[in-house]
Amino acid sequence: MKAAMKEHKGVVTCIKIRANNMECVSSSDDGTCIIWDLNRFVRNQIIFANTLFKAVCYQPEETQLLTGGSDRKISYWETLDGSQIREMEAALTAVLTARYI
């Protein structure tokens, strides 16, 4: 193991790696998603929300993230500053997976 990146306070529910292998995002049921620098092994950005995140993925251009969680919403986030772009009601129960189509 090269390094351990520890910041989540809850269970990590999903990890997705960018196409360039230089960054990844992790979601957790502690209400955070963290964008990690895989070269320096540090946090680039953190997203806080009032949900237990269950899924996260990059959209194809990798400038936005999609998240789903216990609040039954799909949210779009800016990867640069972690700001929320939009959210939509998605399901009758918690959103458990994410895939950009």
Side-chain angles (χ1 to χ4, degrees):
M1 175 177 7
K2 270 188 165 179
M5 300 181 292
K6 300 178 186 179
E7 285 203 37
H8 288 294
K9 304 294 184 228
V11 174
V12 173
T13 55
C14 189
I15 299 172
K16 298 293 182 183
I17 300 172
R18 282 187 74 165
N20 65 9
N21 293 321
M22 296 174 64
E23 193 176 86
C24 75
V25 61
S26 58
S27 65
S28 175
D29 65 7
D30 65 2
T32 64
C33 283
I34 299 177
I35 301 172
W36 300 96
D37 181 319
L38 295 177
N39 292 321
R40 298 179 299 135
F41 305 108
V42 296
R43 177 183 77 195
N44 279 346
Q45 192 60 252
I46 189 165
I47 295 168
F48 295 99
N50 191 21
T51 188
L52 307 175
F53 285 116
K54 299 297 180 188
V56 64
C57 71
Y58 286 98
Q59 54 87 263
E61 290 82 28
E62 298 182 332
T63 58
Q64 296 177 6
L65 296 172
L66 279 76
T67 60
S70 62
D71 63 356
R72 304 180 326 265
K73 296 177 182 173
I74 294 174
S75 298
Y76 291 75
W77 306 87
E78 188 66 49
T79 57
L80 231 49
D81 62 6
S83 61
Q84 187 175 39
I85 299 166
R86 66 178 172 237
E87 73 177 12
M88 336 184 263
E89 291 291 329
L92 298 175
T93 60
V95 177
L96 300 177
T97 60
R99 175 187 281 174
Y100 192 88
I101 300 175

